[in-house]
């Protein structure tokens, strides 16, 4: 892929929880991690994917008529045979009711800037700007860098929401164009991290220190996931780590939510968090105190 | 700037309880008294008869000082009751006597005694009402277009006009004795040889009668208060009643000496205007400006503490909710929730262009926060120099979920009024009438709510070559299938618009003349310049500025429809005109099952039942064809319906929609609005003023949608039209900034009678100080791009659904419906559904 083009799966405007002011978030596709609670499962795979939203389907059957490989069936229920699907997109084209959608489009920096520009007055009025998110936005490093440069050229505030699962070289390239890093720390215990996230946390913790040294302000964000890291000791350990990083003054505790669950269905993925309840408000308040005891500001939610 | 943070006192809660413990009732007293007077004055000129009638009412009506009241002046014996105004129209009321208590929204009780009294007096009015005269004046084709649902002039056709803000300051500073002196001077100046002298003199004499009548009315309250004080044992209340008596002895006859008197004087004006006529939207306008000298003075010299001033203000706020109006059932669908639209605005700039915000601006917002009632409709004026503190205070009130305040942009409204001939200093001193209509108070007869005009209906008529239900309502502009370019079709739409707007003008001017002839209002006219100078009532053109403002409804539907036709028919050729026409004719294969507000289960025939179930199947509900066949014995062919639904999905999803910040469609919506606005502004009214268009629906978008067939934007027959300049409900999928940007691309300057943008927020989107800052930034950002008005509903969808299911638990839930706030549970279910369905911007 050329550096000027990337795979974007959404641009969300009037975002008020991912950095200061009114912001637009650009969601880049592709992520090296596989967090079980991921609320954007369509972000994980780097390639565009076909999603099926059953409640939109009017059962017209036109998708099966146009599919050149016979990968689709709608009777008795909808099914895509992903082995046969060539992602030609013909079914999506004829699906006017938008039951079939492509998640992820190839978009140039100029195209994305055209969208972002639309809210420039609101960025200015609110002290907002843009936030790159994903997936892991740094899994498309050159594109992320180009986008951030273009935004800085407009004078906008820039932020990134990252897992920090990337290389030092990549960080070195993007950090000069960033005003704020929203950095996910999920667990300090590597074994547990590997079990729930699919990767080691070693590189993440190391990169966190590196970003701190670089001098860009950091907000540590912790998804609070029952059965994974919602114990006081686990949060305390993350808070201790956070307070040791230069440039970290604030921690956001993001309570687990189930809003992404239906998207697993759209993609025919298994949802491995079934039946798990979001943490209660009292629980979150307790964890907030734990963080504050480490001398950090703490917010629940972004 | 100091922000008052006192809590509402126990008294205020008591006052609210007194108002809301009863169901509103209809009272006959006024109708009886006006009829009595009219019978005695048949030999007099109309304006004198009107004055004498008001005098008779004010002299004889029952006066009541309610428990705990500090500000007095009742319109009805019982709280929130409604008087009857037979001089405007009355037949509908008799017809609805039996359903008033049972209807779905805006219920009124009515006793058998009241019915009998009203039946008796209505006999006198046969042929004498403004409504009957207006009907006589209209052309037959105008009436046909109205019957076909192209527009409605129902508001003033059946009721008084209202929609005005008077020169309250004149009453506060001079009193009615001052007005009497002004009239005497005018009389002395007049040249008896002037051919207009006789008529002028009649008018001036009428003003004298009403000015003296209102002074006498206040005296009755003074006496009543003393009487009650004599009987009361509670020393505190006794002193309060003596104070009330002192106040009523001095005002509104004389200049107000302090804040309390000024509030009392204000209320007498507000009440008597609404006894003289039942025209609603009697708007206090820039209350924080003309009241501030009294507030400031009392606080500075220590005669009043901020807390005491706040309690008086809160008490007045409650009083605003004691005013009510019975409307016919049809109108309750367009004006749901007992609305009175008394719009009170704070902030903005002074007549000489400085920032006008003062501590009273904050206290007014606080009064709304304390009372949490729908009235007054509180608004704020915004310009670049509006301090953040006021924006944050306004944001705090917004967060209460009352749908208030509404925000108005000076940077659009001032030049817009100037373009209509209002002087710069008058334009800077504008206030808002009713929902969203800008006016310079005390100098204008704006006729702001002249009509609702269904733009989507014009589109439907164009598609049907002028025919509606077999009648030639519009012009023969050509068969829909005959157009070869989009531009040809657009030209036909424009031609239909030109023709139908002319009929609208005829309807409005007929009603206007009828009011001039049969319902001049001398009391109201005495407080608006330059009626006394000209010797003319408002209804005959006495005001300095005269307008007529009819509203276009369905901007987004027409914009989206034009986009779908342009792109899918002409550019991409995905559907032919014939296919589209067939789909619209058959309501996308669903037949004309309308989700109209009148649709109820007991009206279900087997045929409609089948249509409903077909619809359910098409929408993917879990009902099988066999089940349906077994249950109904009717053969159902679903094949073609599925194709039709597929086509509807194409229209709905494969052409861009207004409200998502997409230039192509936003430009067409702008053009759609302009086609209407440019037509309307060509015309003049009988009062010597011009027409000026507005783009807001109150809640007329719901009944108008019920009367409109399927549209090319994929909207099914009977579904509500878009609200004001807001996107079609549910189609603004790109968030609030995108919706705001789209709407700001419309030309708000030309819609000088007001535009309305409704934005709904989940509370979490604007929580905390950050939330206030973001809300303020969003308003500023929208206004930077020349939007005119925005208001926010901050309440969760879940709450609304719960309230709909358990109305008794949510009696106090106030939501913003279009241009005003109403108690949610008092609304018709279809309006409730519409509010629930408006896109919720949750984060």
């Amino acid at each position: 892929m050329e550096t000027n083009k990337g795979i974007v799966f959404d641009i969300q405007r009037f975002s008020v929880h991912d950095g200061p002011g009114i912001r637009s978030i650009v969601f880049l596709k592709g992520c090296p991690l596989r967090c079980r609670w991921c609320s954007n499962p369509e972000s994980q795979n780097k390639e565009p994917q076909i999603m099926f939203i059953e409640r939109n389907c009017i059962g017209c059957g036109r998708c099966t008529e146009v599919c050149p490989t016979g990968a689709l069936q709608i009777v008795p229920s909808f099914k895509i045979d992903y082995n046969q699907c060539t992602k030609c997109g013909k079914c999506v084209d004829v699906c006017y009711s938008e039951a079939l959608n492509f998640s992820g489009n190839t978009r140039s920096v100029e195209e994305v800037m055209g969208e972002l520009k639309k809210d420039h007055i609101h960025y200015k009025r609110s002290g907002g700007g843009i936030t790159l998110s994903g997936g892991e936005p740094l899994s498309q490093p050159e594109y992320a860098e180009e986008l951030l440069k273009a935004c800085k050229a407009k004078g906008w505030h820039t932020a990134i929401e990252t897992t920090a699962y990337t290389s030092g070289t990549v960080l070195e390239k993007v950090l000069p164009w960033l005003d704020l890093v929203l950095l996910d720390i999920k667990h300090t215990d590597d074994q547990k991290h590997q079990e729930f996230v699919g990767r080691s946390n070693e590189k993440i913790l190391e990169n966190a220190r590196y970003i701190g040294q670089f001098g860009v302000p950091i907000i540590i964000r912790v998804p609070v996931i029952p059965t994974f890291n919602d114990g006081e000791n686990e949060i305390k350990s993350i808070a201790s780590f956070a307070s040791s990083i230069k440039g970290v003054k604030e921690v956001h505790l993001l309570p687990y939510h189930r809003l992404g669950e239906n998207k697993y269905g759209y993609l025919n993925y298994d949802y491995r968090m079934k039946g798990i309840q979001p943490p209660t408000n009292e629980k979150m308040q307790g964890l907030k105190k734990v963080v504050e005891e480490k001398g950090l500001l703490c917010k629940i939610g972004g | 700037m100091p922000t008052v943070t006192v809590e509402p006192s126990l008294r205020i809660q008591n006052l609210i309880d007194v108002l809301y413990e009863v169901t509103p009732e209809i009272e006959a007293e006024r109708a009886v008294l006006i009829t009595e007077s009219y019978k005695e004055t048949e030999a007099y000129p109309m304006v004198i008869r009107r004055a004498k009638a008001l005098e008779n009412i004010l002299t004889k009506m029952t006066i009541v000082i309610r428990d705990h009241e500090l500000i007095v002046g009742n319109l009805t014996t019982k709280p929130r009751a409604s008087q009857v105004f037979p001089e405007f129209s009355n037949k509908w009321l008799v017809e609805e006597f039996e359903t008033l208590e049972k209807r779905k929204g805006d219920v009124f009780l009515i006793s058998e005694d009241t019915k009998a009294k009203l039946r008796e007096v209505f006999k006198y009015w046969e042929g004498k009402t403004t409504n009957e005269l207006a009907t006589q004046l209209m052309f037959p084709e105008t009436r046909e277009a109205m019957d076909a649902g192209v527009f409605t002039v129902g508001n003033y056709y059946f009721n008084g006009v209202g929609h005005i803000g008077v020169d309250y300051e004149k009453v506060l500073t001079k009193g009615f004795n001052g007005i009497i002196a002004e009239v005497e001077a005018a009389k002395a100046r007049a040249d008896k040889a002037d051919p207009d002298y006789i008529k002028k003199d009649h008018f001036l004499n009428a003003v004298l009668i009403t000015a003296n009548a209102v002074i006498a009315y206040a005296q009755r309250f003074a006496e009543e208060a003393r009487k009650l004080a004599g009987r009361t044992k509670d020393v505190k209340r006794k002193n309060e009643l003596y104070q009330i008596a002192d106040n009523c002895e001095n005002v509104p006859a004389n200049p107000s000496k302090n804040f309390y008197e000024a509030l009392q004087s204000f209320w007498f004006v507000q009440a008597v205007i609404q006894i003289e006529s039942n025209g609603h939207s009697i708007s206090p306008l820039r209350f924080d400006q003309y009241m501030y000298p009294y507030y400031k003075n009392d606080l500075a010299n220590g005669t009043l503490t901020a807390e005491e001033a706040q309690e008086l203000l809160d008490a007045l706020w409650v009083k605003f909710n004691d005013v009510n109006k019975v409307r016919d059932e049809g109108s309750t669908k367009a004006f749901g929730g007992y609305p009175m639209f008394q719009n009170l605005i704070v902030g903005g700039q002074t007549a000489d262009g400085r920032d006008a915000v003062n501590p009273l601006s904050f206290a007014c917002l606080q009064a709304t926060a304390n009372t949490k009632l729908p009235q007054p409709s509180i608004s704020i004026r915004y310009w670049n120099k509006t301090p953040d503190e006021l924006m944050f205070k306004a944001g705090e009130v917004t967060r209460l979920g009352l749908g208030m305040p509404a925000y108005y942009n000076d940077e659009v409204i001032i030049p817009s009024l100037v373009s209509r001939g209002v002087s710069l200093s008058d334009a800077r001193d504008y206030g808002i009438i009713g929902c969203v209509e800008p006016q310079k108070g005390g100098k204008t007869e704006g006729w702001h709510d002249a009509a609702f005009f269904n733009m989507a209906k014009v589109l439907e008529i164009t598609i049907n070559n002028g025919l509606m239900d077999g009648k030639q309502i519009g012009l023969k502009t050509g068969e829909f299938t005959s157009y070869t370019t989009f531009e040809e079709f657009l030209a036909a739409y424009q031609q239909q618009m030109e023709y139908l707007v002319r009929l609208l003008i005829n309807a409005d001017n007929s009603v206007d003349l009828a009011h001039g002839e049969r319902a001049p209002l001398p009391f109201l006219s005495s407080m608006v310049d330059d009626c006394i100078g000209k010797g003319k009532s408002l209804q005959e053109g006495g005001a300095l500025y005269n307008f007529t403002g009819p509203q276009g409804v369905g901007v987004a539907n027409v914009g989206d429809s034009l986009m779908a036709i342009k792109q899918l028919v002409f550019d991409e050729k995905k559907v032919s005109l014939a296919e589209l026409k067939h789909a619209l004719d058959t309501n996308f294969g669903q037949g004309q099952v309308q989700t109209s507000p009148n649709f109820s289960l007991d009206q279900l025939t087997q045929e409609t039942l089948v249509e409903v179930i077909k619809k359910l199947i098409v929408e993917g509900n879990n009902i099988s064809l066999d089940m349906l066949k077994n249950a109904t014995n009717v053969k159902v062919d679903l094949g073609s319906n599925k194709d039709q639904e597929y086509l509807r999905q194409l229209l709905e999803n494969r052409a861009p929609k207004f409200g998502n910040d997409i230039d192509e469609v936003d430009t067409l919506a702008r053009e759609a609005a302009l086609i209407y606005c440019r037509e309307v502004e060509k015309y003049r009214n009988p009062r010597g003023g011009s027409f000026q268009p507005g783009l807001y629906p109150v809640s007329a978008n719901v009944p108008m949608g019920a009367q409109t067939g399927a549209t090319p934007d994929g909207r099914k027959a009977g579904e509500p039209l878009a609200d004001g300049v807001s996107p079609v409900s549910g189609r603004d999928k790109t968030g609030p900034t995108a919706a705001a940007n789209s709407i700001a691309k419309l030309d708000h300057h030309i819609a000088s009678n007001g535009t309305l943008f409704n934005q709904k927020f989940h509370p979490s989107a604007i929580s905390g100080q950050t939330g206030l800052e973001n809300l303020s930034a969003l308003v500023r950002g929208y206004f930077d791009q020349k939007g005119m008005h925005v208001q926010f509903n901050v309440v969760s969808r879940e709450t609304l659904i719960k309230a709909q299911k358990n109305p008794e638990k949510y009696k106090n839930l106030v939501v913003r419906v279009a241009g005003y706030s109403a108690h949610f549970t008092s609304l018709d279910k279809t309006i409730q559904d519409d509010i629930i369905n408006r896109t919720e911007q949750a984060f």
Side-chain angles (χ1 to χ4, degrees):
Chain A
M1 180 112 10
E2 341 162 20
T3 62
N4 188 260
K5 289 201 169 157
I7 312 277
V8 176
F9 74 91
D10 200 7
I11 295 176
Q12 187 184 308
R13 292 165 65 177
F14 194 76
S15 170
V16 290
H17 296 308
D18 299 285
I22 296 173
R23 314 184 71 80
S24 294
I25 311 189
V26 185
F27 290 92
L28 303 187
K29 210 157 144 46
C31 185
L33 310 186
R34 289 292 177 270
C35 306
R36 289 188 189 179
W37 57 87
C38 181
S39 60
N40 286 330
E42 76 276 32
S43 73
Q44 295 173 352
N45 191 326
K46 197 170 174 181
E47 299 301 315
Q49 278 166 291
I50 291 176
M51 296 207 291
F52 176 66
I53 304 174
E54 193 178 350
R55 73 183 135 80
N56 286 352
C57 178
I58 58 169
C60 70
R62 282 173 177 79
C63 50
T64 54
E65 287 166 22
V66 297
C67 180
T69 63
L72 290 171
Q73 64 163 56
I74 60 164
V75 181
S77 65
F78 183 86
K79 222 167 129 185
I80 303 180
D81 182 343
Y82 288 99
N83 290 327
Q84 292 196 51
C85 173
T86 60
K87 292 184 186 168
C88 68
K90 284 187 178 148
C91 57
V92 175
D93 285 346
V94 298
C95 187
Y96 296 160
S97 65
E98 304 197 320
L100 286 166
N101 292 276
F102 256 124
S103 166
N105 291 297
T106 306
R107 300 180 81 168
S108 69
V109 170
E110 290 73 30
E111 282 169 329
V112 172
M113 287 303 289
E115 277 303 301
L116 298 180
K117 203 161 67 181
K118 289 178 173 177
D119 271 351
H120 73 99
I121 290 177
H122 301 289
Y123 307 151
K124 203 183 284 173
R125 277 298 193 180
S126 65
I130 67 102
T131 301
L132 294 190
S133 182
E136 168 49 62
L138 296 180
S139 64
Q140 300 184 45
E142 293 86 5
Y143 184 62
E145 186 192 348
E146 291 300 313
L147 261 179
L148 289 171
K149 269 191 202 170
C151 291
K152 274 329 284 179
K154 295 271 181 198
W156 300 336
H157 181 275
T158 55
I160 194 167
E161 196 181 12
T162 179
T163 65
Y165 194 88
T166 186
S167 71
T169 348
V170 167
L171 285 176
E172 213 172 294
K173 278 188 172 170
V174 294
L175 286 174
W177 311 106
L178 279 165
D179 297 309
L180 175 67
V181 174
L182 304 165
L183 203 162
D184 260 29
I185 300 288
K186 288 145 185 127
H187 217 294
T188 51
D189 177 83
D190 193 31
Q191 210 174 350
K192 206 136 189 218
H193 198 272
Q194 292 200 31
E195 189 188 337
F196 276 75
V197 174
R199 299 273 182 171
S200 160
N201 67 6
E202 207 177 308
K203 202 179 334 180
I204 294 172
L205 302 182
E206 183 194 317
N207 280 338
R209 287 186 203 100
Y210 178 82
I211 297 167
Q213 288 303 319
F214 201 93
V216 182
I218 304 172
I219 294 174
I220 298 292
R221 303 185 119 192
V222 185
V224 178
I225 311 297
T227 71
F228 171 58
N229 67 355
D230 64 336
E232 291 202 0
N233 283 335
E234 285 155 320
I235 297 297
K236 195 185 285 177
S237 169
I238 294 174
S240 291
F241 174 77
S243 64
S244 75
I245 305 288
K246 198 179 152 226
V248 174
K249 295 195 180 68
E250 201 172 337
V251 170
H252 293 171
L253 297 177
L254 312 177
Y256 164 71
H257 65 78
R258 294 171 289 189
L259 302 177
E261 186 174 346
N262 53 356
K263 290 198 258 184
Y264 283 78
Y266 302 165
L267 292 159
N268 206 19
Y269 286 180
D270 268 350
Y271 189 57
R272 287 189 288 168
M273 300 288 286
K274 264 215 164 68
I276 290 180
Q277 299 295 316
T280 61
N281 190 38
E282 296 78 68
K283 169 121 203 167
M284 292 305 296
Q285 292 299 336
L287 296 178
K288 183 175 178 224
K289 279 212 187 85
V290 170
V291 174
E292 284 167 346
E293 278 162 14
K294 294 284 169 192
L296 293 161
L297 288 171
C298 182
K299 264 206 312 201
I300 297 171
Chain B
M1 191 152 302
T3 314
V4 188
T5 50
V6 279
E7 287 295 306
S9 66
L10 180 62
R11 177 206 306 280
I12 300 305
Q13 196 49 54
N14 286 333
L15 284 172
I16 295 172
D17 292 345
V18 168
L19 282 197
Y20 286 92
E21 69 194 3
V22 292
T23 304
E25 200 167 316
I26 291 176
E27 296 184 1
E29 194 172 48
R30 182 193 177 279
V32 170
L33 290 171
I34 191 174
T35 312
E36 177 184 285
S37 172
Y38 259 63
K39 284 179 179 169
E40 288 165 6
T41 59
E42 292 193 340
Y44 290 83
M46 187 51 84
V47 70
I48 299 282
R49 296 183 74 189
R50 295 291 310 175
K52 284 184 171 286
L54 181 62
E55 182 185 36
N56 197 48
I57 296 165
L58 294 180
T59 312
K60 294 181 185 166
M61 69 178 275
T62 311
I63 59 166
V64 186
I65 295 176
R66 306 199 200 286
D67 292 348
H68 318 290
E69 274 192 335
L70 296 174
I71 314 273
V72 301
N74 60 302
L75 291 85
T76 48
T77 308
K78 293 194 177 162
R80 294 168 68 232
S82 174
Q83 295 287 3
V84 173
F85 295 70
E87 67 268 39
F88 299 113
S89 66
N90 51 62
K91 293 205 172 84
W92 62 268
L93 186 57
V94 180
E95 283 162 15
E96 294 185 16
F97 270 170
E98 305 311 320
T99 52
L100 286 165
E101 296 184 10
K102 291 178 221 148
R103 62 195 196 184
K104 291 179 196 155
D106 293 34
V107 167
F108 279 92
L109 304 178
I110 181 165
S111 71
E112 289 306 318
D113 178 52
T114 301
K115 286 180 197 169
K117 282 181 179 156
L118 290 176
R119 278 205 184 91
E120 181 55 33
V121 299
F122 288 172
K123 288 180 197 158
Y124 173 78
W125 293 96
E126 181 66 37
K128 296 189 176 74
T129 61
T130 51
N131 171 259
E132 285 157 306
L133 178 57
T135 307
Q136 290 307 312
L137 296 174
M138 285 179 202
F139 298 140
E141 59 266 42
T142 301
R143 289 202 294 267
E144 275 178 8
M146 268 197 311
D147 291 344
V150 180
F151 54 84
T152 164
V153 293
N155 212 353
Y156 307 166
Y157 194 25
F158 293 99
N159 296 290
V161 174
H163 290 85
I164 196 161
V166 298
D167 190 351
Y168 294 95
E169 190 174 349
K170 178 161 107 171
V171 179
L172 300 183
T173 56
K174 293 182 183 169
F176 278 93
N177 282 329
I179 291 177
I180 290 170
E182 189 188 341
V183 174
E184 297 291 5
K187 278 167 75 83
R189 261 199 324 269
D191 174 3
K192 291 196 170 55
D194 174 356
D196 295 330
Y197 169 79
I198 303 167
K199 276 196 88 171
K200 284 185 185 170
D201 199 49
H202 288 155
F203 170 73
L204 294 173
N205 288 336
V207 170
L208 290 179
I209 294 168
T210 57
N212 283 307
V214 72
I215 292 171
Y217 170 73
Q219 291 303 322
R220 293 182 67 202
F221 281 94
E223 285 155 26
E224 176 72 10
R226 284 198 203 289
K227 206 165 75 190
L228 288 176
R231 277 195 238 136
T232 307
K233 296 208 173 66
D234 179 347
V235 180
K236 186 169 170 250
R237 184 62 182 158
K238 196 184 270 289
N239 288 333
E240 284 172 4
L241 286 161
Y242 282 130
Q243 178 67 58
I244 290 170
D246 289 348
N247 290 346
C248 297
E249 251 152 39
N250 190 48
V251 296
N254 302 304
S256 304
K257 297 193 300 282
N258 54 46
F259 187 58
Y260 191 0
E261 280 192 2
L263 293 173
Q264 180 61 64
S265 187
F266 164 85
W267 183 252
F268 277 129
V269 170
Q270 191 68 8
V272 175
I273 290 174
Q274 297 183 83
I275 293 171
E276 189 184 32
S277 161
N278 70 346
H280 61 242
S281 299
I282 305 304
S283 299
L285 307 179
R286 308 196 71 187
F287 188 89
D288 67 331
Q289 302 302 301
Y290 55 79
M291 281 290 173
Y292 184 56
Y294 303 95
Y295 180 87
K296 184 180 167 196
N297 205 31
D298 285 10
L299 260 58
N301 66 25
T303 51
L304 206 60
T305 65
E307 287 75 16
E308 287 163 343
Q310 189 68 49
E311 187 180 48
L312 288 171
L313 212 52
D314 293 357
L316 177 68
W317 257 233
V318 178
K319 200 76 184 142
F320 277 113
N321 293 278
D322 203 344
V323 186
N324 209 344
K325 169 172 177 172
V326 60
R327 296 178 172 86
D328 65 279
E329 192 172 353
S331 299
T332 62
K333 297 181 196 309
F335 301 95
Y338 305 113
M340 292 310 295
F341 310 92
Q342 299 164 99
N343 202 317
L344 187 153
I345 196 160
V346 302
Q349 52 196 292
T350 57
D352 58 353
R354 289 169 298 122
D355 187 62
V357 173
N358 63 46
L360 186 55
S361 317
F362 289 84
C364 287
L365 287 165
Q366 186 65 42
T368 296
N370 287 347
T371 53
K372 296 187 184 64
L373 293 171
Q375 293 290 305
S377 301
I378 195 156
S379 305
I380 78 162
R381 274 180 53 174
Y382 166 88
W383 69 315
N384 270 333
K385 288 191 191 172
T386 296
D388 282 334
E389 290 91 326
L390 187 77
M391 294 300 278
F392 297 157
K393 183 76 191 170
E396 283 174 18
V397 177
T398 297
R399 274 206 299 229
L400 296 174
L402 301 164
M404 300 188 281
Y407 299 76
Y408 295 88
N409 188 4
D410 280 11
E411 319 278 0
V412 169
I413 292 175
I414 293 170
S416 169
L417 289 173
V418 168
S419 79
R420 299 283 177 213
V422 177
S423 76
L424 179 60
S425 61
D426 280 349
R428 281 177 177 153
D429 202 26
Y430 80 90
I432 293 294
I433 299 294
C435 293
V436 295
E437 307 96 281
Q439 163 187 112
K440 158 64 187 170
K443 288 187 179 178
T444 309
E445 172 66 332
W447 249 70
H448 293 289
D449 218 6
F452 296 115
F453 184 92
N454 187 343
M455 294 165 52
K457 194 80 190 172
V458 177
L459 191 76
E460 192 184 2
I461 288 174
T462 313
I463 290 168
N464 289 307
N465 194 14
L467 278 177
M468 282 318 299
D469 297 324
K471 266 194 186 165
Q472 193 70 37
I473 299 297
L475 301 174
K476 286 193 170 151
T477 41
E479 286 298 331
F480 188 50
T481 47
S482 70
Y483 299 112
T484 55
T485 64
F486 173 71
E487 288 67 29
E488 275 173 34
F489 174 73
L490 192 64
Y493 173 70
Q494 193 154 354
Q495 244 184 305
Q496 295 286 4
M497 184 65 84
E498 283 169 21
Y499 173 76
L500 293 165
V501 164
R502 289 178 86 90
L503 301 184
L504 164 77
I505 304 296
N506 172 244
D508 267 334
N509 284 346
S510 301
V511 179
D512 205 331
L513 281 171
H515 280 277
E517 199 152 308
R518 292 192 169 170
L521 304 173
F523 177 71
L524 184 71
S525 302
S526 70
M527 295 171 286
V528 179
D529 287 346
D530 190 24
C531 291
I532 293 174
K534 291 189 195 172
K536 249 189 204 178
S537 75
L538 283 169
Q539 292 65 34
E540 297 157 293
L544 280 173
Y545 302 117
N546 286 287
F547 297 107
T548 303
Q551 283 40 269
V553 178
V555 174
N557 297 94
V558 176
D560 288 352
S561 292
L562 292 176
M563 186 71 230
I565 295 173
K566 181 175 185 294
Q567 180 176 324
L568 301 172
V569 177
F570 292 107
D571 295 350
E572 295 175 358
K573 303 193 176 16
K574 284 201 166 123
V575 57
S576 72
L577 285 171
E579 284 167 315
L580 179 57
K581 178 79 165 60
H582 175 68
L584 298 177
D585 286 347
T586 57
N587 189 21
F588 304 109
Q590 300 182 20
Q592 299 299 330
V593 180
Q594 303 208 346
T595 47
S596 90
N598 297 321
F599 186 77
S600 72
L601 273 177
D602 46 290
Q603 291 169 338
L604 265 185
T605 62
Q606 195 182 37
E607 200 185 354
T608 52
L609 183 67
V610 171
E611 291 298 333
V612 169
I613 298 172
K614 264 160 69 180
K615 192 171 142 191
L616 292 175
I617 295 172
V618 169
E619 285 172 354
N621 286 281
N622 202 12
I623 298 176
S624 79
L625 267 184
D626 287 340
M627 278 165 63
L628 181 64
K629 223 190 284 179
N630 293 339
T632 60
N633 258 335
V634 176
K635 193 172 166 257
V636 184
D637 173 19
L638 209 64
S640 69
N641 282 352
K642 256 188 192 174
D643 285 347
Q644 298 268 9
E645 176 58 16
Y646 183 64
L647 171 57
R648 200 189 70 76
Q649 295 285 351
L650 169 77
L651 298 168
E652 171 104 31
N653 293 324
R654 290 296 159 92
K657 294 288 176 279
F658 179 66
N660 296 292
D661 205 358
I662 299 167
D663 276 345
E664 296 154 278
V665 60
D666 294 347
T667 307
L668 282 174
R670 177 188 165 93
E671 187 58 27
L674 280 173
I675 287 174
Y676 172 72
C677 291
R678 286 198 198 107
E679 236 5 80
V680 167
E681 67 171 1
K682 285 180 187 166
Y683 297 96
R684 299 192 63 79
N685 63 36
R687 286 168 284 112
S690 60
F691 275 75
Q692 58 169 349
L695 298 169
Y696 66 88
V698 192
S699 45
N701 58 312
V702 176
M704 290 202 136
Q707 290 182 333
T708 307
T711 38
D713 56 342
R715 178 191 143 279
K716 294 175 197 164
E719 287 183 356
L721 298 175
D723 162 25
V725 290
S726 310
V728 173
S729 191
R731 286 187 187 158
D732 50 333
K733 295 177 178 166
T734 324
T737 52
N741 292 359
S742 276
I743 292 162
K745 289 179 211 170
L746 303 175
D747 186 345
H748 293 255
H749 288 87
I750 191 174
S752 52
N753 199 48
T755 67
L756 186 145
F757 173 27
N758 220 338
Q759 180 76 262
K760 193 158 110 186
F761 275 105
H762 193 275
S764 67
I766 53 170
S767 61
Q769 176 61 26
T770 315
L772 290 180
E773 286 168 16
N774 287 337
L775 182 71
S776 163
L778 182 64
V779 173
R780 287 184 190 268
Y782 174 58
F783 284 170
D784 282 348
Q785 300 175 75
K786 306 298 179 209
M788 188 190 267
H789 156 274
V790 63
Q791 64 194 24
F792 302 94
N793 260 326
V794 181
V795 58
S796 71
R797 190 184 168 84
E798 290 76 10
T799 304
L800 293 175
I801 291 170
K802 276 187 207 154
Q804 198 176 42
K805 286 190 183 142
N806 305 301
E808 62 291 344
K809 286 188 191 157
Y810 292 88
K811 269 191 172 161
N812 296 323
L813 178 64
V814 175
V815 291
R816 186 104 183 162
V817 192
Y820 60 94
S821 291
H823 284 281
F824 182 74
T825 54
S826 72
L827 297 168
D828 189 290
K829 180 160 182 299
T830 52
I831 300 177
Q832 290 182 350
D833 288 341
D834 188 43
I835 294 172
I836 291 171
N837 290 336
R838 272 176 198 154
T839 311
E840 186 171 358
Q841 310 290 357
F843 311 94

